[in-house]
Amino acid sequence: MKRWKALLLTVFAVAIAVAIYGTALIRRGFSAAEEPSTLEKIVARTVRNLSIPRKARNQENPWQATPEILREAREDFTDRCAVCHGSDGSGQTQDGRNLYPKPPDLRAPQTQNLTDGQIRYIIRNGVRLTGMPAWSHPHEEQDNDSWKLVLFIRDLRQLSADEKSAQQATAASAHYTGSLACEKCHQQVYEHWKKTPMANVVRDPREHPEAIIPDLATDPLAKFTKDQVALVYGRLWKQRYFTKIGDDYFPEPAQWDVTNHVWRPYFVPKGADWWEPFYPPDNMQRPTGPTCDGCHSVDYNIHTKMVLEWNVGCERCHGPGSKHVAHPSRGNILNPARMDYVQANDTCIQCHSQGRPLTNPIEGKYYDWPVGYRVGLNLRDFWQLEDHTLGETTFTHFPDGTAHKNRMQGNDFVQSVMYRRGITCFTCHDVHGTDNYAQLRKPADKLCLDCHGPMSLDGPRTATLEEHTHHKTGTPGSQCVSCHMPKIEITIADVDVHAHTFAFISPGTTDKYKIPNPCTSCHTDKSTAWATEALRHWPERSPWRLD
């Protein structure tokens, strides 16, 4: 009898608790914007996990994580999952935060502690009463795509407390080893990287005789021979030549315009850069160590003027690798992909920006790169981005704050909505190497559509791309980068590179501030008045954004 009473009391207490909870829930309302309670999360997660059959739960993944498979899975994740889960798996997206329940953080233990079989079952079959759809393909015995997605989700795993402690210890004691030490375990990535501009921006013509593009004898501006060239800088847009005097390198006063196949002078004139007043007006008294070498090498030593490795090697982005080479683990190497968006982007901004060190001069010399910074530290403690004043044209910025010279992708990007939403440089670029322009993960016209397809919340808000661009598919005007990343930033002569603010520059802005706009930059025979009038007939455009 006592047992029955105890059972009845328990049932009664549970009924009262459910009634109280239900009443509170009804009073609060059923808004999908609300965060589920802890009880709801526990119950929902438990029910979901218990509903996965034992056979599925115990299945083992037949695939192994390789760079190629992870790259393939990432593209699949971007296409199918990122709209709710985010490209980093955090679930912090506009769509995701408006679902109920919210998408789980795939990096967190609640997901990572599931078996591979459980994660795959959820991918294939979805979760009832949530926004998680079933991605299985009928009549397929083996869904390889879902298994590969499991590997990608595993790769998103956050560092444990022990791994974070190990990283801190490693940062204090590890030393640089050079990129060649990475090849043994990361051969595929290494082979891709070796072909990139990052790996080939600085070359010794004695080791690479083919590095010098033009015939030096045709140079009408300055006479120097191959034997005088200690290092060659660049090969995409311009090529410069450096001679060695003592421990320092100095730039010859002529450079090769790769695009136009002509020689052009090389000299930083008065007012063309912040450091110019501190160096004599003579290239042979302007060493490249303070102005260039820190970004084009790994571990440049300002005292010995020696580098561990020329070019942007693995450790430039991943930190000193000696501990990792000896005992490979996630806890003794840095990976920008697992950092917050600020530190992740700073990995690139350290060199892809115009600025100056917070401490200057350093031991009597003025440096044009963040001396002392390495990945994992806070760039803001070493580097100040070049400032701009709205309405003024400076040697770096147009009056609206857009850059007008090369190596300012970072200055542009930090002003963009993309940056504020947590997008990183490697959301679009893969510095390990691709077959696309600028090492993009996909061709630009396809890459943008991963997040900005027709009628998406992030725009464009038209049914088709042609309605948005008012240009036929396949024409230059139909490409996203033509309008949102115009080539207006000078690298040499009339050769420009893409802006990275992603803002549309209207013809009206050109009239006010003399900033090139994409309309008349393409339609060179037309005026800004013509372009403004044409835009006024685009019904989905706000007239307030044209002036």
Side-chain angles (χ1 to χ4, degrees), residues 70 88 107 151-160 163-164 167 318 329-331 333-341 343-344 424 426:
L70 289 176
D88 60 353
R107 307 166 301 177
L151 293 175
F152 179 78
I153 291 169
R154 290 289 188 220
D155 196 57
L156 294 172
R157 176 174 64 86
Q158 292 177 318
L159 295 175
S160 66
E163 287 172 330
K164 289 180 180 178
Q167 276 195 348
H318 293 283
S329 77
R330 285 168 31 118
I333 197 70
L334 295 172
N335 188 343
R338 295 189 176 89
M339 298 176 181
D340 65 65
Y341 81 100
Q343 283 197 321
T424 63
F426 44 82

Side-chain angles (χ1 to χ4, degrees), residues 160-401:
S160 66
D162 289 342
E163 287 172 330
K164 289 180 180 178
S165 297
Q167 276 195 348
Q168 292 176 351
T170 297
S173 59
H175 60 267
Y176 292 95
T177 62
S179 298
L180 193 60
C182 307
E183 182 184 16
K184 181 180 178 181
C185 296
H186 303 281
Q187 186 173 4
Q188 284 181 302
V189 173
Y190 182 85
E191 290 302 321
H192 278 294
W193 166 80
K194 281 291 289 182
K195 300 173 185 176
T196 66
M198 291 284 195
N200 294 282
V201 68
V202 181
R203 307 187 91 184
D204 184 337
R206 290 156 188 78
E207 297 177 11
H208 304 279
E210 77 286 356
I212 298 178
I213 298 172
D215 180 355
L216 298 183
T218 65
D219 179 6
L221 303 171
K223 297 302 179 183
F224 56 91
T225 66
K226 180 179 177 181
D227 291 337
Q228 292 175 273
V229 178
L231 292 175
V232 176
Y233 268 38
R235 63 175 183 164
L236 289 182
W237 300 298
K238 57 199 173 194
Q239 189 168 81
R240 293 172 180 164
Y241 310 93
F242 296 82
T243 188
K244 191 172 185 180
I245 303 174
D247 295 332
D248 288 311
Y249 296 91
F250 298 87
E252 294 288 353
Q255 59 184 332
W256 179 251
D257 182 334
V258 177
T259 304
N260 296 304
H261 307 287
V262 296
W263 287 99
R264 300 190 186 279
Y266 175 62
F267 176 73
V268 177
K270 186 176 180 63
D273 219 324
W274 71 266
W275 53 263
E276 173 272 327
F278 303 106
Y279 288 90
D282 179 356
N283 279 9
M284 292 302 129
Q285 296 188 61
R286 293 177 171 183
T288 62
T291 56
C292 307
D293 297 345
C295 278
H296 292 139
S297 67
V298 175
D299 195 27
Y300 180 89
N301 188 309
I302 65 172
H303 300 111
T304 65
K305 303 174 186 177
M306 300 289 288
V307 302
L308 175 86
E309 175 183 11
W310 286 111
N311 296 303
V312 183
C314 305
E315 292 164 300
R316 185 80 204 188
C317 301
H318 293 283
S322 61
K323 300 284 188 181
H324 188 71
V325 170
H327 304 286
S329 77
R330 285 168 31 118
N332 56 23
I333 197 70
L334 295 172
N335 188 343
R338 295 189 176 89
M339 298 176 181
D340 65 65
Y341 81 100
V342 175
Q343 283 197 321
N345 282 314
D346 282 351
T347 305
C348 306
I349 290 173
Q350 62 170 309
C351 290
H352 287 270
S353 65
Q354 289 280 346
R356 60 191 78 184
L358 294 184
T359 301
N360 230 354
I362 299 172
E363 299 179 9
K365 293 183 180 179
Y366 291 85
Y367 288 83
D368 197 27
W369 49 275
V371 177
Y373 170 77
R374 67 174 186 273
V375 174
L377 300 177
N378 294 317
L379 183 60
R380 64 180 176 274
D381 294 335
F382 301 86
W383 190 242
Q384 173 63 52
L385 293 181
E386 202 65 55
D387 199 9
H388 68 273
T389 302
L390 290 174
E392 291 185 8
T393 299
T394 65
F395 72 90
T396 52
H397 292 87
F398 287 116
D400 73 333

Side-chain angles (χ1 to χ4, degrees), residues 90 114 201 253 267 301 332 344 404 446 485 499:
S90 66
L114 298 174
V201 68
F267 176 73
N301 188 309
N332 56 23
H404 65 62
K446 296 180 180 178
M485 299 183 68

